[in-house]
Amino acid sequence: MAGNKNNRTKEDQPKKRKRDLAEADSRSKRQRAERKENKANGRKSLADILSPANGANSELNGQSSALETTGTRALEVVPQFDNAEAGWRVSKPMGGRMLDIDPILTTDDQYLILAYNTSIQVYSAVDSLLVRRIPITVAEASAQKATTAATIVSTRLSQQDPDFVWVACSDGRVFHVDWTSPKTPESFQTRSGTARALAVLTTKISKKTVEVLLIAESDNSGRIDVVAYEGKVQSAPESKVIMAMKKPGNGLQMLELDEESQVLVGAVNDRLFMGVPARKQTATLADLEYEFYSFDAPELITALDLRVYAKPATGNKKPRSKVVDIIVGGVRGSIYLYHDVLARSQALGKSGSDKEMIQAQKYHWHRKAVHALKWSRDGHYMISGGSENSLVLWQMDTSRKDFLPHLSGSVENIVVSADGSSYVIHLDDNSTMILSTAEMKPTAYIAGIQSAAVNVSTPKDLLVQRTWTAPESVRRPVPAAIKPMDNSRLHVCVGNGSQASSSGDFSAPLLQTFDLETFRSVSRQALARTQPTDVNITNKGNPIDEPLITHMAFSADGEWLASVDTWEPSPRDVDNALNDVKTLFIQERREVYLKFWEARQGDDQIALVSRINAPHATTRNEAVLDLASNPVSTCFATIGSDGLVRLWRPKTRSQNGVAVKGTNGREVFSWSCSQVIAVGDGLPREGTVDLPDPTAKHEPQGSLAFSEDGSTIFVAFGTVGTGAVYVIDAASGEIVKTLEGQWKGNLRSIRALSPFVIVLSDELRVYDVVSDELRYGVVIPKASGSNDLLQLAVDHTSGHFAVALPSSEGTTLGVFEPEESEPLLVRNTPQRIISLVSAPDTSGFIALDDAAQIWVVAEGSDPSSLATVQPLEDLRLEDVVGDDDVEKVALIDEAEDDDEDMASDVEDEADAEDVEMEDDDVHPSVVHQQQLADIFDAAPAFAAPPIEDMFYKVTGLLATKPLLASS
């Protein structure tokens, strides 16, 4: 922006000019023809649906129209424009959230199968690498209204063929998935079109061993049916209802089955039922019968497991064939042990006594609901987990408890391996680990993106009324950034599992580094004060709020990271204060910290260098409204609610004139404020404006951005109805221009893109600073609820910007070029976008939604675009060879055999002639398996870079390093 400054004062109002005919004729004829075709076909653009901004001339098709108020009009469906030159598109979702479903560890302990939002993912238990991703339900960006896909409710490993997994979805579809291949799985539909739980039974029908699926179905909140289906994938499989129960209430529905004895145990709300097969062998599925016994538990059931074993004979008594012990976890933290429940149920049935209850032995340690509960293989231990971030081992003989504390999240699921040598622990921070039972140390660890996510189902802790409630949606954008010089890693603020969702603001005091190439979590560390495993509940039962990371940015060279975290008391903690002083008390107790971290290239962890307490303090700790990084130098800028812009730069520490060096031999730096610029005086000097309600309290709003050359700072600051955009010379700190009326309502963001300034508030405005004109503006429609997740990101490489607009369901993503108000791409996602960032020096955008899924918005025609990174199912690298290709493969094998024969002859001749080359210092390259696995990961969720890059990586491993030049 150097050289584009002028001496126009604040009194000068921005002028508008009409576009010349020569400029209009210079547009692409192809684009104009496509727009006419779209309008002829009745397709509308975003500019047609959104109203043009107030006082701005919309230059779409050379017509000007006045501003229209949005009102409550909903956002209409917008199809994508088939612009072959732009080629912008949205990828399928990658990653996702691990569901509250027991993981599957194969019998050989080699593979771990996890259920995600829309897929089944297979990992290697040896190296924790992703082997295969198999999509189950469809969730992708659409030009039409995007609907949320059905969720997976249960997964079970097939007992007849361990290469297959049965997957039940909430819409009643049951998939038969071959987890060893990428084939599209087959499915059938249940009778009621619903599914709540699944168990797999292996029995004999007509003297043949077959699989029978027992599915809990419920299309009525007060009724549940257990239906047996023939284990075949067909349009209408044979089925039979083996149990029907009426049980109103709001709770969980679970099924567990002992494979050897075929005893079935289930739970509906607080009712526990047990089924025993009436006969061992049946002629048809219709003859399958179970004898059921049911009784009520003391509280709602959240976890369930059974153990069946033979009891040895004592004295002259006949040995009983089997003893059934059931353990039940309750919603208030109790564990109930029902010992020998089958014999006791049969005895009560014979006596005909309905009043006598089956007594249970009670254990209690968990403060809230028991999330997971399992028997050990030998029956000597119970293993339980909950929201205390600890694994509890109960020794049954002595009632002694052992703990594995300080886990990174609440324990959601526990699975005991077939031989009992390992525990699989699924935590609610989107991670799963395999622990060895001997040493209680992890042998495998798998972690996805751990950002704030909405709950697919009601949390188990909230099945009963608590003093607090979990928010139903993410209420603010989650800070995220991509480090310059390393575009493959996404840095996002995350929380401590359920602790992040129990707070109203989704507290996220941790920074997670996520590798987008291998789609693995690299590291996680705290940026602010955390309380993951301490007593994090007040004496009134409310969760203690953690500090919130509000802003984060990397320096231009990627060597420094700046973060802003804030904490203030929750309004519920100051209920005793008067209403007049409650807000003042919260503001006085507010804590604001600006921190600078050293983030050297190649280091997974960052180190804190400087902490600035209350960087914008007046008589109180003022909030930091925005943080920006200079794109050409090591400098950060902040704007506070005090109306001051502060520039922060590093300087080397010195002692007695000598530079201080750290233990690593590097110079030690400290950060301090180098410049202060005051902006904002409230009202424009000319004209009249409608003053806001004097009784209403309006907090200051602000946002700032550097120009691409770092010479200019654009600052938007003010309150509702009185805001302006200030153009500041970064070198002198002088305000060279003031743009009035460029934003109104709630300010979201301001960004600079070449000569344009893009301001996102209740309106989207694009202002050309060089020509001093407003290019266009549109009014943002109000989403159902609020527009708190309205976001803006700019792509300096391609010269485009993207807007994420929350809608009633999901988010509308739009890609624009600053010269035209007509979008190049409009797509709807079924989940809400909580982070929208662009990668430095790379074209495209990365969007993160509230289901921990990543969407890539990229331009395929750009060689530096992120479009080369896409899900594996789009690459189709694992196509299975069909019958038609067998002959081709045979011909290739013959050709390879001929080539090998010829090569062997040549090698024999070479060996006979080149005998003296043994003295050369040439050694074969040794490549470790892990190095190749990092490059050729068979099925990453976020696929590899282009083939050319992979080729050079492999050749780099195989190539012999050159000899050092002699001195």
Side-chain angles (χ1 to χ4, degrees):
M1 297 299 299
N4 294 331
K5 299 181 296 182
N6 54 38
N7 296 322
R8 298 185 57 175
T9 61
K10 178 179 176 181
E11 291 82 354
D12 295 335
Q13 297 297 322
K15 296 182 174 58
K16 312 175 186 66
R17 66 177 179 87
K18 293 185 178 179
R19 191 184 300 271
D20 297 335
L21 295 177
E23 295 180 58
D25 293 338
S26 64
R27 298 176 184 173
S28 172
K29 296 182 179 180
R30 180 183 181 90
Q31 293 181 356
R32 288 185 292 171
E34 289 176 352
R35 296 191 187 106
K36 292 180 180 179
E37 181 181 358
N38 291 332
K39 294 183 179 296
N41 295 333
R43 297 191 293 180
K44 296 182 179 181
S45 68
L46 185 63
D48 296 329
I49 295 173
L50 306 180
S51 303
N54 191 9
N57 292 334
S58 176
E59 299 180 343
L60 180 61
N61 297 327
Q63 298 178 356
S64 301
S65 58
L67 175 73
E68 298 176 2
T69 58
T70 307
T72 58
R73 181 174 52 186
L75 183 66
E76 301 178 24
V77 175
V78 185
Q80 179 184 5
F81 292 98
D82 299 327
N83 192 335
E85 295 181 1
W88 286 88
R89 62 182 183 270
V90 181
S91 71
K92 293 181 180 179
M94 290 151 281
R97 196 80 179 175
M98 299 178 189
L99 300 179
D100 185 9
I101 297 174
D102 285 349
I104 297 176
L105 185 64
T106 56
T107 55
D108 57 359
D109 294 348
Q110 295 298 310
Y111 296 97
L112 186 64
I113 305 174
L114 302 177
Y116 282 75
N117 308 59
T118 59
S119 64
I120 297 294
Q121 299 190 18
V122 183
Y123 291 86
S124 171
V126 178
D127 52 16
S128 305
L129 295 178
L130 181 63
V131 177
R132 185 167 291 105
R133 179 182 184 271
I134 304 173
I136 300 297
T137 58
V138 178
E140 57 184 16
S142 173
Q144 306 299 323
K145 183 179 179 180
T147 57
T148 304
T151 58
I152 299 173
V153 297
S154 182
T155 59
R156 298 287 182 180
L157 188 66
S158 174
Q159 300 298 326
Q160 270 195 318
D161 190 349
D163 290 344
F164 284 86
V165 174
W166 292 100
V167 179
C169 298
S170 58
D171 59 356
R173 289 183 298 166
V174 180
F175 293 85
H176 194 219
V177 181
D178 184 359
W179 60 268
T180 63
S181 73
K183 290 182 179 179
T184 302
E186 299 178 337
S187 65
F188 69 89
Q189 187 79 23
T190 59
R191 296 170 47 166
S192 64
T194 62
R196 298 293 182 264
L198 169 67
V200 179
L201 169 66
T202 304
T203 185
K204 288 186 177 182
I205 296 180
S206 299
K207 298 182 179 180
K208 292 183 179 179
T209 303
V210 297
E211 273 190 337
V212 176
L213 306 182
L214 304 179
I215 301 177
E217 304 179 24
S218 177
D219 54 0
N220 189 332
S221 59
R223 178 185 175 89
I224 181 175
D225 296 334
V226 178
V227 186
Y229 290 88
E230 188 178 1
K232 296 180 180 179
V233 181
Q234 52 190 10
S235 58
E238 184 181 356
S239 62
K240 180 189 177 181
V241 179
I242 63 173
M243 192 204 73
M245 178 184 294
K246 291 184 179 180
K247 182 63 178 177
N250 181 23
L252 302 179
Q253 300 170 359
M254 295 170 284
L255 283 180
E256 293 292 339
L257 178 74
D258 181 74
E259 180 62 30
E260 184 177 354
S261 63
Q262 301 182 359
V263 175
L264 178 68
V265 175
V268 183
N269 301 334
D270 60 347
R271 175 68 60 83
L272 188 66
F273 63 88
M274 176 182 58
V276 181
R279 56 178 66 94
K280 295 183 179 180
Q281 185 171 344
T282 58
T284 62
L285 183 65
D287 297 333
L288 180 64
E289 293 183 0
Y290 265 76
E291 296 178 1
F292 283 93
Y293 306 90
S294 65
F295 50 92
D296 291 336
E299 55 187 276
L300 289 178
I301 299 173
T302 57
L304 175 68
D305 196 21
L306 79 159
R307 174 174 175 256
V308 181
Y309 60 96
K311 186 174 182 179
T314 58
N316 297 326
K317 295 182 180 180
K318 296 182 180 180
R320 280 181 275 180
S321 57
K322 49 182 171 288
V323 177
V324 180
D325 290 347
I326 301 176
I327 49 176
V328 171
V331 72
R332 291 181 173 86
S334 299
I335 298 176
Y336 301 92
L337 167 61
Y338 295 91
H339 178 65
D340 201 3
V341 66
L342 177 58
R344 297 166 66 183
S345 299
Q346 291 173 343
L348 287 177
K350 292 179 181 179
S351 64
S353 175
D354 296 333
K355 296 182 179 180
E356 186 177 355
M357 296 289 293
I358 297 181
Q359 299 299 320
Q361 186 176 354
K362 183 179 178 180
Y363 302 85
H364 200 158
W365 179 83
H366 296 279
R367 297 195 300 261
K368 300 177 186 176
V370 180
H371 293 186
L373 184 63
K374 285 292 186 295
W375 281 110
S376 64
R377 291 300 175 188
D378 55 10
H380 294 164
Y381 289 89
M382 292 188 306
I383 307 101
S384 66
S387 56
E388 298 81 12
N389 296 14
S390 297
L391 190 69
V392 187
L393 286 82
W394 308 74
Q395 190 172 2
M396 305 306 297
D397 295 337
T398 62
S399 298
R400 177 183 175 183
K401 296 184 292 294
D402 292 326
F403 300 93
L404 180 63
H406 305 294
L407 299 176
S408 59
S410 299
V411 178
E412 293 296 319
N413 303 97
I414 301 172
V415 173
V416 183
S417 63
D419 57 0
S421 62
S422 300
Y423 296 148
V424 182
I425 311 297
H426 167 221
L427 306 177
D428 74 336
D429 65 346
N430 207 24
S431 67
T432 298
M433 67 175 68
I434 301 178
L435 298 173
S436 63
T437 57
E439 300 177 350
M440 277 298 177
K441 293 184 178 179
T443 59
Y445 180 74
I446 300 163
I449 296 180
Q450 299 170 335
S451 59
V454 295
N455 296 305
V456 177
S457 59
T458 303
K460 295 176 181 178
D461 293 338
L462 294 180
L463 291 175
V464 294
Q465 187 175 3
R466 302 279 181 182
T467 58
W468 51 272
T469 57
E472 297 180 355
S473 61
V474 183
R475 301 174 183 175
R476 64 172 67 229
V478 174
I482 295 180
K483 185 178 180 180
M485 314 301 178
D486 191 359
N487 297 331
S488 63
R489 292 190 174 183
L490 174 67
H491 303 264
V492 59
C493 291
V494 300
N496 293 294
S498 62
Q499 180 70 12
S501 61
S502 62
S503 174
D505 286 331
F506 276 93
S507 63
L510 306 176
L511 179 67
Q512 182 188 20
T513 302
F514 197 82
D515 195 327
L516 297 176
E517 288 187 352
T518 60
F519 223 72
R520 300 176 62 187
S521 179
V522 177
S523 63
R524 194 177 74 159
Q525 71 177 93
L527 294 184
R529 182 179 66 253
T530 62
Q531 292 176 330
T533 58
D534 296 335
V535 178
N536 47 25
I537 296 179
T538 65
N539 54 5
K540 294 183 179 180
N542 296 317
I544 297 176
D545 292 340
E546 295 174 330
L548 183 69
I549 305 296
T550 56
H551 302 91
M552 180 178 65
F554 280 98
S555 61
D557 55 3
E559 299 290 329
W560 299 96
L561 172 69
S563 65
V564 177
D565 62 90
T566 180
W567 178 88
E568 59 186 25
S570 175
R572 62 172 177 261
D573 296 332
V574 291
D575 290 337
N576 296 330
L578 299 176
N579 293 331
D580 297 338
V581 298
K582 183 179 297 186
T583 303
L584 180 62
F585 178 77
I586 293 176
Q587 292 177 350
E588 289 180 350
R589 290 291 308 276
R590 177 189 294 158
E591 299 177 4
V592 182
Y593 299 105
L594 173 63
K595 299 177 181 178
F596 298 95
W597 309 77
E598 186 178 19
R600 296 287 183 180
Q601 190 73 20
D603 294 342
D604 292 337
Q605 299 290 328
I606 58 177
L608 180 62
V609 174
S610 298
R611 189 186 78 173
I612 312 297
N613 300 341
H616 288 266
T618 54
T619 57
R620 61 183 184 183
N621 289 343
E622 301 288 346
V624 177
L625 302 178
D626 200 5
L627 169 71
S629 173
N630 192 317
V632 296
S633 65
T634 305
C635 174
F636 293 97
T638 58
I639 174 70
S641 57
D642 56 352
L644 297 179
V645 176
R646 294 180 179 269
L647 301 184
W648 307 86
R649 292 184 174 89
K651 60 180 180 180
T652 57
R653 296 182 186 178
S654 60
Q655 185 175 6
N656 298 328
V658 180
V660 178
K661 294 187 178 181
T663 56
N664 53 7
R666 300 173 182 172
E667 293 183 343
V668 179
F669 292 87
S670 62
W671 285 76
S672 61
C673 180
S674 61
Q675 196 172 3
V676 180
I677 306 169
V679 297
D681 57 354
L683 299 175
R685 299 183 185 179
E686 291 184 358
T688 59
V689 298
D690 295 332
L691 292 175
D693 185 4
T695 61
K697 297 181 180 179
H698 298 285
E699 292 292 333
Q701 303 179 70
S703 182
L704 77 165
F706 281 90
S707 62
E708 293 188 40
D709 60 1
S711 62
T712 307
I713 307 175
F714 300 97
V715 179
F717 182 79
T719 58
V720 176
T722 61
V725 175
Y726 303 90
V727 183
I728 303 174
D729 187 347
S732 63
E734 178 186 358
I735 300 177
V736 297
K737 185 185 298 184
T738 301
L739 307 177
E740 301 287 355
Q742 294 304 314
W743 63 274
K744 62 181 297 185
N746 293 320
L747 177 66
R748 304 299 176 188
S749 180
I750 183 173
R751 292 292 182 267
L753 185 61
S754 296
F756 302 99
V757 176
I758 306 164
V759 184
L760 181 63
S761 57
D762 290 349
E763 303 170 355
L764 173 65
R765 290 174 177 259
V766 179
Y767 192 89
D768 191 336
V769 181
V770 175
S771 60
D772 195 18
E773 70 163 353
L774 178 66
R775 283 299 179 94
Y776 60 85
V778 292
V779 170
I780 303 297
K782 290 289 184 182
S784 61
S786 65
N787 279 357
D788 291 339
L789 291 178
L790 187 62
Q791 298 173 78
L792 169 69
V794 296
D795 179 10
H796 295 288
T797 303
S798 64
H800 297 82
F801 67 92
V803 176
L805 172 64
S807 57
S808 57
E809 294 181 359
T811 296
T812 300
L813 280 172
V815 178
F816 295 80
E817 54 183 357
E819 293 86 358
E820 295 289 339
S821 61
E822 189 171 348
L824 300 175
L825 171 74
V826 176
R827 276 289 185 264
N828 296 284
T829 60
Q831 286 83 22
R832 292 200 168 192
I833 301 300
I834 59 175
S835 293
L836 182 65
V837 297
S838 61
D841 302 326
T842 304
S843 173
F845 305 92
I846 291 179
L848 176 64
D849 64 16
D850 58 5
Q853 299 178 131
I854 283 182
W855 307 74
V856 176
V857 185
E859 187 178 12
S861 60
D862 190 346
S864 65
S865 173
L866 288 169
T868 55
V869 186
Q870 53 184 319
L872 183 68
E873 57 265 25
D874 292 348
L875 296 178
R876 302 186 182 277
L877 297 178
E878 293 187 317
D879 289 340
V880 180
V881 179
D883 295 335
D884 297 337
D885 297 336
V886 174
E887 183 177 355
K888 297 179 181 179
V889 174
L891 293 176
I892 294 174
D893 291 339
E894 293 177 3
E896 291 177 352
D897 293 338
D898 294 338
D899 293 339
E900 289 177 1
D901 294 339
M902 296 176 61
S904 63
D905 295 339
V906 174
E907 290 173 359
D908 293 339
E909 295 176 2
D911 293 339
E913 295 176 0
D914 302 332
V915 178
E916 299 179 354
M917 294 186 64
E918 294 180 355
D919 296 334
D920 294 342
D921 190 13
V922 179
H923 303 281
S925 300
V926 178
V927 180
H928 298 285
Q929 183 180 1
Q930 179 64 31
Q931 294 175 310
L932 292 177
D934 293 340
I935 300 175
F936 294 107
D937 191 6
F942 201 89
I947 300 299
E948 183 179 0
D949 294 347
M950 298 175 64
F951 171 79
Y952 286 119
K953 289 181 180 180
V954 175
T955 55
L957 293 176
L958 298 177
T960 304
K961 295 182 180 180
L963 298 176
L964 296 176
S966 58
S967 55

